[in-house]
């Protein structure tokens, strides 16, 4: 008779000023998985074993003091609502640096990446954080390769994730790594979230990432591309629509949007294809209806923008045994 395996030990660090959802999201994912599998033991760890007060004012009770923690399988480091807190309390960074070597893997949520970086855990690694602080992370820690637009990034045993609810995504990825996609799907359905946004998926839609402009020539062109990405948006067509030379249109795009017309059109088409795949459209149909044309063109575009393949992306949004997709409702 096989002996039962011990539960995977998950330690979620909490401290005064921590962002509430950064703590709550990992707790919900792992507790939901534990309810049916018994596969996780989830504990809240605080620096001194006392209750802490989150940034919302809600108090969180401690299960264990950091001083009493030995080895753990997964350490989750949430972020503070105010980044200055890490500078004001260097003991927090020292605590992360002490706990991490005893963990099999370490994951941060949102600005928790700054604690990991300050503790030396991201040196030479790729990482992400909340979009608003990605540039700050890159400047403060030039030894870290910051991927500013990703939902989460895994580099070896260290994972970092984007703003707040991306903590759900990274923890679902850990559940899938431990127990396979079916269990991760079950947890996602229970929480009524997508299983699961691939790590390379953007924190934002293409439209929200486009620089706002009221330029009387460029604004109608941008609106037309967003309204129908599959239409003819070649440089020649855009120039004819604007009544300008192709060179002039290209210059306007670079000045106002920060990219060439072709790059912007491709970005919108990738997003259109992504949405189609999430809705269950085939890869071939998604390529055609988004304007990217062929499966191969779509594959190359996905590799450039999302770091995955269309088939792998689509698989993330299929539930087991053909059950209905879970509802949308979580953003970065």
């Amino acid at each position: 008779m096989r002996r039962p395996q011990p539960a995977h030990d998950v330690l979620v660090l909490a401290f005064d000023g921590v962002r509430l959802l950064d703590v709550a999201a990992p707790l919900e994912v792992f507790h939901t998985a534990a309810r049916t599998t018994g596969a996780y033991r989830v504990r809240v760890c605080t620096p001194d074993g006392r209750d802490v007060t989150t940034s919302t004012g809600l108090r969180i009770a401690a299960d264990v003091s950091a001083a009493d923690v030995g080895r753990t399988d997964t350490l989750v480091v949430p972020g503070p609502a105010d980044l200055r807190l890490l500078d004001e309390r260097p003991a927090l960074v020292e605590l992360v640096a002490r706990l991490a070597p005893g963990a099999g893997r370490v994951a941060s949520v949102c600005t928790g990446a700054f604690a990991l970086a300050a503790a030396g855990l991201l040196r030479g690694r790729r990482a992400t954080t909340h979009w608003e602080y990605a540039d700050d992370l890159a400047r403060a820690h030039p030894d870290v390769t910051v991927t500013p637009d990703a939902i989460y990034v895994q580099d070896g045993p260290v994972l970092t994730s984007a703003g707040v609810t991306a903590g759900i995504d990274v923890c679902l990825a850990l559940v899938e790594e431990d127990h396979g996609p079916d269990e991760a799907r079950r947890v996602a359905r229970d929480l009524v979230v997508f299983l699961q946004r691939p790590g390379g998926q953007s924190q934002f839609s293409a439209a929200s990432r486009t620089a706002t402009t009221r330029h009387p020539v460029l604004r109608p062109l941008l609106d037309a591309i967003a309204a129908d990405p599959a239409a003819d948006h070649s440089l020649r067509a855009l120039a004819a629509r604007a009544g300008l030379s192709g060179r002039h249109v290209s210059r306007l795009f670079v000045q106002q949007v920060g990219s060439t017309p072709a790059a912007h059109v491709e970005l919108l088409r990738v997003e259109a294809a992504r949405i189609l795949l999430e809705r269950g459209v085939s890869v071939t149909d998604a390529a055609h209806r988004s304007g990217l044309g062929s499966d191969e063109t779509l594959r190359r575009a996905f590799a450039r923008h999302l770091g995955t393949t269309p088939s792998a992306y689509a698989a993330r949004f299929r539930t087991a045994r053909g059950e209905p997709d879970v509802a949308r409702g979580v953003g970065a």
Side-chain angles (χ1 to χ4, degrees):
M1 182 176 178
R2 294 180 59 184
R3 299 175 63 181
Q5 295 296 311
H8 184 110
D9 194 41
V10 177
L11 201 67
V12 181
L13 182 63
F15 46 86
D16 287 325
V18 71
R19 199 162 191 170
L20 174 60
L21 197 54
D22 285 13
V23 177
L27 292 178
E28 283 289 350
V29 170
F30 289 115
H31 272 296
T32 301
R35 278 204 300 270
T36 55
T37 66
Y40 294 102
R41 180 178 71 144
V42 189
R43 296 180 295 165
V44 174
C45 169
T46 64
D48 55 9
R50 299 178 183 177
D51 295 357
V52 296
T53 303
T54 68
S55 59
T56 66
L58 184 70
R59 295 184 66 81
I60 294 180
D63 296 311
V64 63
S65 166
D68 297 326
V69 173
R71 292 198 58 80
T72 189
D73 295 301
T74 298
L75 171 66
V76 181
V77 180
D82 186 342
L83 264 181
R84 292 173 297 183
L85 186 148
L86 294 177
D87 294 327
E88 295 167 358
R89 301 184 206 165
L92 275 176
V93 173
E94 294 171 6
L95 179 58
V96 171
R98 184 175 67 78
L99 292 173
R105 63 191 179 192
V106 180
S108 68
V109 182
C110 197
T111 55
F114 283 82
L116 267 55
L121 301 176
L122 299 182
R123 189 174 297 118
R125 296 186 186 276
R126 295 177 300 109
T128 194
T129 188
H130 190 289
W131 63 268
E132 188 174 5
Y133 303 107
D135 289 344
D136 294 334
L137 181 63
R139 281 193 298 267
H141 301 279
D143 55 350
V144 179
T145 301
V146 178
T147 305
D149 206 26
I151 294 294
Y152 65 86
V153 170
Q154 180 167 9
D155 191 331
V158 181
L159 299 92
T160 51
S161 60
V164 290
T165 59
I168 295 176
D169 295 276
V170 73
C171 291
L172 282 173
L174 293 175
V175 170
E176 181 174 358
E177 182 177 294
D178 294 337
H179 301 289
D182 286 351
E183 176 58 18
R185 289 187 185 100
R186 187 196 65 77
V187 174
R189 288 197 298 272
D190 187 281
L191 299 178
V192 198
V193 297
F194 264 137
L195 173 81
Q196 76 229 42
R197 296 179 293 184
Q201 183 174 325
S202 171
Q203 295 185 38
F204 294 101
S205 68
S208 69
R209 282 179 285 150
T210 299
T212 56
T213 177
R214 294 183 180 275
H215 193 283
V217 173
L218 194 58
R219 185 71 261 167
L221 296 181
L222 294 174
D223 290 343
I225 296 168
D228 186 6
D232 180 6
H233 300 302
S234 63
L235 181 57
R236 178 179 295 180
L238 293 173
R241 202 174 301 153
L244 299 171
S245 69
R247 181 176 296 180
H248 192 170
V249 170
S250 293
R251 188 162 55 247
L252 284 176
F253 265 84
V254 172
Q255 290 173 348
Q256 300 286 327
V257 179
S259 70
T260 66
H264 180 74
V265 170
E266 180 177 88
L267 184 64
L268 270 291
R269 286 175 173 170
V270 167
E271 177 154 309
R274 177 180 64 76
I275 293 170
L276 288 165
L277 290 172
E278 290 172 10
R279 293 174 178 171
V281 171
S282 71
V283 171
T284 298
D285 283 349
H288 175 72
R289 291 167 60 180
S290 67
L292 286 167
S294 68
D295 291 17
E296 179 61 19
T297 302
L298 179 60
R299 186 188 67 78
R300 291 178 179 175
F302 262 53
R304 280 193 296 274
H305 293 279
L306 301 179
T308 187
T309 66
S311 297
Y313 187 91
R316 295 290 186 180
F317 296 91
R318 284 192 211 109
T319 56
R321 303 177 188 86
E323 293 176 350
D325 288 342
V326 292
R328 290 174 173 84
V330 173

